Amino acid sequence: MITKLYLENFRAFEKLNIPLTKINCFFGPNNSGKSAILSAINILSQTLDSHDRDVPLLLNGKFEDLGTYWDAVFKNNENQNIKIGLEFLEYMKQHTDESLSARLDVEFHYRKQRREVVINGIEINSPPSQLLLKTRVSLRSNLQLIEYVSPKYPNIRLGRSSSGILVTNHFIPQFSPTFSRRYLFPPHRRGTKNFDDYMSLEWDLYRISRIISDHLSSLEFIGPFRSRPQRTYFFSGEAPSSVGASGEKCIDILASDQSRRKGKRKNIAQLVSNWLRQSGLAKSIYVFPFTDRHFEIYIDHIHTGEEVNIADAGFGISQILPILVAGYFIPSNSTFIIEEPEIHLHPKAQSEIGTFLYDVSKRDIQIFVETHSEHLLLRLQSHIAAGDLSPNDVNIFYIYSEEKGRRKIYKLIPIGKYGYFKEEWPQGFFPERIKEAENIAKHSL
């Protein structure tokens, strides 16, 4: 699980340091910076997905299109460095307290002459307080130099003498293969103090980099604009590993799962049908093949039972479908990021999204959701009140701009054990309903 996110000079935020938990909900006015928080995690994930290991930060990829460094840096000041930090917690054995934690902070710099983003320095910590490694990049050689190591590695070279020891896999430091061949593999090196320290550091870097890579690589993101439904689909024969940022692979996953043998099916269509029925949107959804190459997606009307092609059904079904398929398809111990899941849905269906998120989180999936839905939030509060979720399992963030300083900031709204908020929302965000009710009452007098 990602337990903390730190941003500096990234998009809307000059500085941001927020705690994270199992289910993280981001509320706030339009253009308040909610999506900037999620995009920080997304760009690190899409960077690791790049085949070019020398790319330190991929601003335009499968999840995000952030443009240039000028677009991504705070107040478009290219002279400022962007810093992104993530803290991770991994349980060694499920449902036990035995765990490993790691924190990665990467500072990125923009070289105007070459129009490229480079790494300025990296810090790796073992929380709560132990700094293991700090690097900086030589402006002349563009190599990672070790600026600091923990006292547990007293014989490791620092500064210029450390040149060539480390390389980066995108933004994650690791030992250079050349250094390993020359210094660690020869038999006569073994048993020396230097050898033991380097081997110890290499193992710690490997362990921590695995935690970071595993968390960021197993990420599913669905943006606010989902693909329009089609009247007919083509059997591609592909079994996609991801729904895609716009849900473009959603139907392929649905069809490929239904075509599998019973023992290998995840029964996604049945799970989706159950949710649609509970939400009052449809009785069921199913794949209908009409040639060897083509198929249609049909929806059974919730009241009449009438069979309707998904292209003729309400637009809300096609917009929530990728989210449902992704939630039931994503493997355990993954990260699930969703923007505006409630679009085109009526209040009851929005409430049922809250239960859907709770069900998905039970499979050890960490969830981030940007939303404006009060109904979704109320359902999560109901699950807390019922004891299904602990208040510590849900973080509710309100992102907004200061009236005077105009800085983008956040407020964590604490929740009590009965699901009630312990503090009022800033700027009267959700009490708008109460104001409207008061206006109605005034006019009716």
Side-chain angles (χ1 to χ4, degrees), residues 89-107:
L89 177 68
E90 181 178 86
Y91 287 99
M92 300 299 293
K93 296 177 182 178
Q94 212 167 21
H95 308 302
T96 69
D97 293 331
E98 188 179 354
S99 63
L100 288 173
S101 58
R103 172 161 175 159
L104 171 74
D105 291 272
V106 188
E107 188 174 64

Side-chain angles (χ1 to χ4, degrees), residues 247-278:
E248 65 274 12
K249 297 295 184 181
C250 159
I251 301 300
D252 288 328
I253 291 175
L254 203 63
S256 64
D257 183 66
Q258 186 163 310
S259 65
R260 290 176 179 173
R261 295 178 181 179
K262 287 187 177 181
K264 293 187 176 182
R265 283 184 197 168
K266 291 190 174 183
N267 295 316
I268 295 175
Q270 184 60 54
L271 293 169
V272 171
S273 295
N274 293 342
W275 188 90
L276 292 174
R277 189 162 50 251
Q278 183 66 31

Side-chain angles (χ1 to χ4, degrees), residues 80-121:
Q80 295 185 118
N81 292 338
I82 290 174
K83 191 172 184 180
I84 303 177
L86 290 174
E87 191 171 300
F88 302 86
L89 177 68
E90 181 178 86
Y91 287 99
M92 300 299 293
K93 296 177 182 178
Q94 212 167 21
H95 308 302
T96 69
D97 293 331
E98 188 179 354
S99 63
L100 288 173
S101 58
R103 172 161 175 159
L104 171 74
D105 291 272
V106 188
E107 188 174 64
F108 301 95
H109 176 72
Y110 184 64
R111 289 183 174 174
K112 293 183 180 180
Q113 296 82 357
R114 298 183 182 181
R115 297 180 180 177
E116 64 177 359
V117 181
V118 297
I119 291 175
N120 194 56

Side-chain angles (χ1 to χ4, degrees), residues 93-369:
K93 296 177 182 178
Q94 212 167 21
H95 308 302
T96 69
D97 293 331
E98 188 179 354
S99 63
L100 288 173
S101 58
R103 172 161 175 159
L104 171 74
D105 291 272
V106 188
E107 188 174 64
F108 301 95
H109 176 72
Y110 184 64
R111 289 183 174 174
K112 293 183 180 180
Q113 296 82 357
R114 298 183 182 181
R115 297 180 180 177
E116 64 177 359
V117 181
V118 297
I119 291 175
N120 194 56
I122 301 171
E123 288 186 18
I124 289 184
N125 287 266
S126 180
S129 60
Q130 187 178 14
L131 176 61
L132 293 182
L133 176 72
K134 183 177 181 180
T135 75
R136 62 179 174 83
V137 174
S138 169
L139 296 178
R140 292 183 178 181
S141 62
N142 202 32
L143 293 174
Q144 290 281 331
L145 305 180
I146 300 176
E147 195 171 62
Y148 172 89
V149 289
S150 167
K152 66 186 287 190
Y153 324 110
N155 298 293
I156 289 181
R157 301 196 298 268
L158 303 178
R160 290 185 181 180
S161 62
S162 67
S163 176
I165 293 177
L166 296 177
V167 294
T168 52
N169 176 13
H170 300 294
F171 49 81
I172 300 176
Q174 60 187 31
F175 270 47
S176 161
T178 302
F179 175 79
S180 295
R181 284 196 301 269
R182 290 180 178 177
Y183 196 87
L184 299 181
F185 292 163
H188 68 275
R189 296 279 190 185
R190 297 172 187 173
T192 64
K193 292 181 179 179
N194 287 6
F195 175 84
D196 291 342
D197 283 352
Y198 281 114
M199 288 299 292
S200 178
L201 176 60
E202 184 180 40
W203 167 247
D204 286 340
L205 284 181
Y206 168 76
R207 177 177 58 87
I208 291 172
S209 67
R210 183 189 59 79
I211 294 173
I212 296 167
S213 298
D214 287 351
H215 279 76
L216 292 175
S217 298
S218 57
L219 184 147
E220 180 79 80
F221 166 70
I222 300 180
F225 305 109
R226 272 82 84 180
S227 301
R228 293 180 63 89
Q230 300 177 32
R231 191 163 297 278
T232 61
Y233 294 89
F234 182 76
F235 277 118
S236 64
E238 179 189 24
S241 59
S242 172
V243 167
S246 60
E248 65 274 12
K249 297 295 184 181
C250 159
I251 301 300
D252 288 328
I253 291 175
L254 203 63
S256 64
D257 183 66
Q258 186 163 310
S259 65
R260 290 176 179 173
R261 295 178 181 179
K262 287 187 177 181
K264 293 187 176 182
R265 283 184 197 168
K266 291 190 174 183
N267 295 316
I268 295 175
Q270 184 60 54
L271 293 169
V272 171
S273 295
N274 293 342
W275 188 90
L276 292 174
R277 189 162 50 251
Q278 183 66 31
S279 303
L281 294 175
K283 268 188 180 178
S284 62
I285 184 171
Y286 58 93
V287 178
F288 176 73
F290 62 93
T291 74
D292 290 340
R293 293 188 175 186
H294 298 86
F295 65 93
E296 296 175 320
I297 300 296
Y298 272 92
I299 307 291
D300 284 347
H301 193 279
I302 186 67
H303 297 301
T304 66
E306 176 188 5
E307 295 178 344
V308 180
N309 188 291
I310 193 172
D312 299 321
F315 200 58
I317 294 178
S318 66
Q319 294 303 287
I320 191 63
L321 185 59
I323 294 171
L324 298 175
V325 171
Y328 296 129
F329 180 72
I330 190 173
S332 298
N333 302 306
S334 299
T335 304
F336 192 18
I337 300 179
I338 318 163
E339 291 187 354
E340 299 184 32
E342 73 276 8
I343 56 173
H344 300 290
L345 293 180
H346 60 70
K348 176 175 171 52
Q350 292 184 33
S351 296
E352 292 299 331
I353 295 175
T355 295
F356 166 74
L357 297 179
Y358 160 63
D359 289 337
V360 171
S361 72
K362 289 191 293 186
R363 296 179 11 239
D364 294 317
I365 294 171
Q366 188 176 20
I367 296 171
F368 298 82
V369 56

Side-chain angles (χ1 to χ4, degrees), residues 1-44:
M1 185 167 67
I2 303 172
T3 54
K4 285 185 181 177
L5 170 66
Y6 176 79
L7 300 177
E8 191 171 308
N9 297 322
F10 180 70
R11 298 191 68 185
F13 295 98
E14 185 175 15
K15 283 189 178 181
L16 183 80
N17 191 358
I18 61 174
L20 301 170
T21 187
K22 292 181 179 180
I23 301 176
N24 305 275
C25 299
F26 298 88
F27 293 86
N30 294 328
N31 198 33
S32 60
K34 300 184 298 297
S35 60
I37 297 173
L38 304 182
S39 65
I41 302 173
N42 284 339
I43 61 170
L44 293 183

Side-chain angles (χ1 to χ4, degrees), residues 12-14 31-32 74-75 400-409 427:
F13 295 98
E14 185 175 15
N31 198 33
S32 60
F74 179 68
K75 290 189 174 180
Y400 64 107
S401 300
E402 282 184 325
E403 293 182 5
K404 293 183 178 180
R406 296 184 179 180
R407 293 183 305 133
K408 301 291 178 65
I409 57 177
Q427 301 181 336

